[in-house]
Amino acid sequence: LASRPQNDPEVIFSSLIDNVVLKGLVSSSVDVRSVAIRCLSMYCLLDKAEKTAAANALLFLQVLDNDVLQLQLIALEAIVDILMVYEIRDDVEGQSQRQILLVSLTNCAGSPEAELRTTAAEGIAKLVFSGRIPSESGILVRLILLYWNPISADDVRLRQSLSVFFPAFAASRWSHRLCFEECFMPTMQVLVEAPETSPLSQLDISQVCHFLLELTNPYAYSTQSTKARGHKGSLADADSTIHSRIALRLINCVIDDLEGDTGEFLRPSIMKILNGIVLPSKEQEEGDSARVGQDLLNITRKAKELAESKPKRKQVVNALNKFYGRLLSLKVPDNNKENEVLADRSDGINALVHKTENLSILAA
């Protein structure tokens, strides 16, 4: 900077940061520190070379960890903005600065402070939707549990933001619905294992799971709206077995619990989920869809037979019988087998006619 003219904007901004903004960060006045944090955040975004952001990212973390709530919120917003704009590939003690920022952001989503929790959740949703961070199942599970957690029941801003994010994210790409598929069992596992002291134990598990089934339902997203985003959207192109795969995992867990007599997945709320499973139509039962459908039929038969052999499992048996009946109704008859049956019937009729004729001759 020494070789640049004094009226160069970068020289002016650099001088302001060093002589005014950074000094303001250590002021005893909350108002002064607040303005200083906002100024530093704005300058980080203006510096397209990302040097300022990389150099000062950890300052925002210090504010987030040590300052008052008002300034923590500003620092948290600054971190989200930086992650939206820059990669921040610098390492700190062998760990990526970007990863450090993401961990802090995720931790804030579990904060007891409602405002901090909401700001963090909004930031994570924004980063996931824009593709700035991977849509890993762990992150989505955290958002799903936060959305349904009774402690956020009065947080209108949080509920409103996430209620927009989930369906918009699921509708934007088919791969995003696969992400929600991966969230299904981990989410249910957390709810099943929630201790009585946890607010999550108050939830009706079937409601949460039906919510996930709606997000992954291939029939819930119209062809027109999906094609408008440049993606194939017809059911012929989509993987229509997503619910069948969820059902496979669920029934496998039911079998494990029946064999171990733990009963965790046998509560009525879990078995109700089978009613929300959307199965492929007969026309779609071909290729991978037919294979998954046959696997599901076999595993459901096994679970049904196992439940029938256990005492006091009538409710489970009824649920499995109902689901098994749905699976059987979707099976396409094998044309070869059908022809064999018709041939056998025809041979039987011919034999009966021949026998009748012989009896008539003898009578004559």
Side-chain angles (χ1 to χ4, degrees), residues 24 29-39 70-71 74:
S29 169
V30 173
D31 292 336
V32 173
R33 294 203 305 278
S34 173
V35 174
I37 295 169
R38 290 190 184 278
C39 287
Q70 176 189 342
L71 303 188
I74 299 172

Side-chain angles (χ1 to χ4, degrees), residues 198-353:
S198 170
L200 294 175
S201 64
Q202 304 170 22
L203 290 175
D204 182 349
I205 298 175
S206 64
Q207 287 186 356
V208 181
C209 293
H210 278 296
F211 170 73
L212 287 173
L213 290 176
E214 280 299 315
L215 292 176
T216 55
N217 183 359
Y219 293 85
Y221 305 94
S222 67
T223 301
Q224 184 177 0
S225 63
T226 311
K227 284 186 175 179
R229 295 178 175 85
H231 305 290
K232 294 182 178 181
S234 67
L235 288 176
D237 297 324
D239 181 0
S240 60
T241 63
I242 186 169
H243 276 201
S244 298
R245 295 196 300 270
I246 290 174
L248 270 171
R249 296 178 184 180
L250 176 64
I251 293 177
N252 269 313
C253 287
V254 171
I255 289 175
D256 290 342
D257 291 327
L258 282 168
E259 291 177 340
D261 285 328
T262 60
E264 290 294 344
F265 281 85
L266 304 181
R267 60 183 69 184
S269 59
I270 291 297
M271 300 311 298
K272 289 177 187 176
I273 300 167
L274 292 176
N275 293 331
I277 295 292
V278 178
L279 298 170
S281 63
K282 288 184 178 181
E283 292 76 14
Q284 293 171 312
E285 279 284 339
E286 57 183 17
D288 287 343
S289 181
R291 178 183 55 78
V292 174
Q294 188 60 49
D295 289 345
L296 183 57
L297 185 68
N298 294 338
I299 202 73
T300 304
R301 184 190 301 115
K302 178 181 177 181
K304 184 173 70 73
E305 292 171 353
L306 185 58
E308 288 170 346
S309 68
K310 299 283 184 178
K312 300 179 181 180
R313 293 290 187 264
K314 184 177 179 180
Q315 201 167 24
V316 179
V317 171
N318 291 339
L320 290 172
N321 275 331
K322 183 178 179 181
F323 187 64
Y324 188 68
R326 287 178 61 197
L327 293 171
L328 286 177
S329 68
L330 293 174
K331 297 304 292 179
V332 179
D334 188 324
N335 291 332
N336 293 330
K337 290 183 179 179
E338 187 174 10
N339 291 336
E340 289 175 6
V341 171
L342 292 174
D344 291 341
R345 288 179 180 174
S346 179
D347 292 341
I349 292 171
N350 291 334
L352 181 61
V353 170

Side-chain angles (χ1 to χ4, degrees), residues 13-311:
F13 277 124
S14 180
S15 177
L16 284 172
I17 293 295
D18 293 338
N19 298 318
V20 180
V21 175
L22 292 180
K23 290 182 179 179
L25 289 175
V26 295
S27 171
S28 59
S29 169
V30 173
D31 292 336
V32 173
R33 294 203 305 278
S34 173
V35 174
I37 295 169
R38 290 190 184 278
C39 287
L40 183 60
S41 173
M42 292 178 64
Y43 183 62
C44 287
L45 299 179
L46 288 171
D47 180 16
K48 299 303 181 183
E50 90 172 48
K51 293 179 182 178
T52 306
N56 296 289
L58 296 184
L59 279 177
F60 295 115
L61 285 183
Q62 291 179 16
V63 174
L64 190 59
D65 291 338
N66 303 309
D67 221 319
V68 296
L69 179 61
Q70 176 189 342
L71 303 188
Q72 286 178 329
L73 293 172
I74 299 172
L76 190 57
E77 291 171 351
I79 289 172
V80 173
D81 289 340
I82 288 173
L83 290 172
M84 281 290 293
V85 176
Y86 303 118
E87 293 297 328
I88 311 293
R89 300 187 182 279
D90 292 9
D91 290 345
V92 177
E93 297 179 356
Q95 189 175 6
S96 165
Q97 270 202 66
R98 184 177 182 80
Q99 188 61 34
I100 294 173
L101 295 176
L102 284 174
V103 169
S104 297
L105 179 61
T106 305
N107 290 340
C108 286
S111 170
E113 291 288 348
E115 288 184 89
L116 206 60
R117 188 170 61 238
T118 299
T119 302
E122 286 181 336
I124 293 171
K126 187 190 300 183
L127 290 165
V128 170
F129 190 83
S130 61
R132 296 299 297 172
I133 59 176
S135 51
E136 298 173 350
S137 61
I139 292 176
L140 291 176
V141 167
R142 179 168 289 223
L143 290 180
I144 291 166
L145 294 175
L146 184 59
Y147 176 71
W148 281 93
N149 199 318
I151 66 171
S152 66
D154 298 327
D155 195 338
V156 178
R157 181 180 146 203
L158 173 66
R159 291 285 178 98
Q160 189 175 38
S161 299
L162 293 181
S163 67
V164 172
F165 163 72
F166 288 129
F169 184 69
S172 61
R173 287 181 180 274
W174 178 250
S175 59
H176 293 169
R177 299 198 278 281
L178 297 183
C179 293
F180 284 116
E181 176 193 353
E182 294 301 318
C183 291
F184 189 91
M185 293 307 297
T187 301
M188 193 165 67
Q189 196 71 40
V190 171
L191 296 177
V192 168
E193 296 177 354
E196 293 183 2
T197 55
S198 170
L200 294 175
S201 64
Q202 304 170 22
L203 290 175
D204 182 349
I205 298 175
S206 64
Q207 287 186 356
V208 181
C209 293
H210 278 296
F211 170 73
L212 287 173
L213 290 176
E214 280 299 315
L215 292 176
T216 55
N217 183 359
Y219 293 85
Y221 305 94
S222 67
T223 301
Q224 184 177 0
S225 63
T226 311
K227 284 186 175 179
R229 295 178 175 85
H231 305 290
K232 294 182 178 181
S234 67
L235 288 176
D237 297 324
D239 181 0
S240 60
T241 63
I242 186 169
H243 276 201
S244 298
R245 295 196 300 270
I246 290 174
L248 270 171
R249 296 178 184 180
L250 176 64
I251 293 177
N252 269 313
C253 287
V254 171
I255 289 175
D256 290 342
D257 291 327
L258 282 168
E259 291 177 340
D261 285 328
T262 60
E264 290 294 344
F265 281 85
L266 304 181
R267 60 183 69 184
S269 59
I270 291 297
M271 300 311 298
K272 289 177 187 176
I273 300 167
L274 292 176
N275 293 331
I277 295 292
V278 178
L279 298 170
S281 63
K282 288 184 178 181
E283 292 76 14
Q284 293 171 312
E285 279 284 339
E286 57 183 17
D288 287 343
S289 181
R291 178 183 55 78
V292 174
Q294 188 60 49
D295 289 345
L296 183 57
L297 185 68
N298 294 338
I299 202 73
T300 304
R301 184 190 301 115
K302 178 181 177 181
K304 184 173 70 73
E305 292 171 353
L306 185 58
E308 288 170 346
S309 68
K310 299 283 184 178

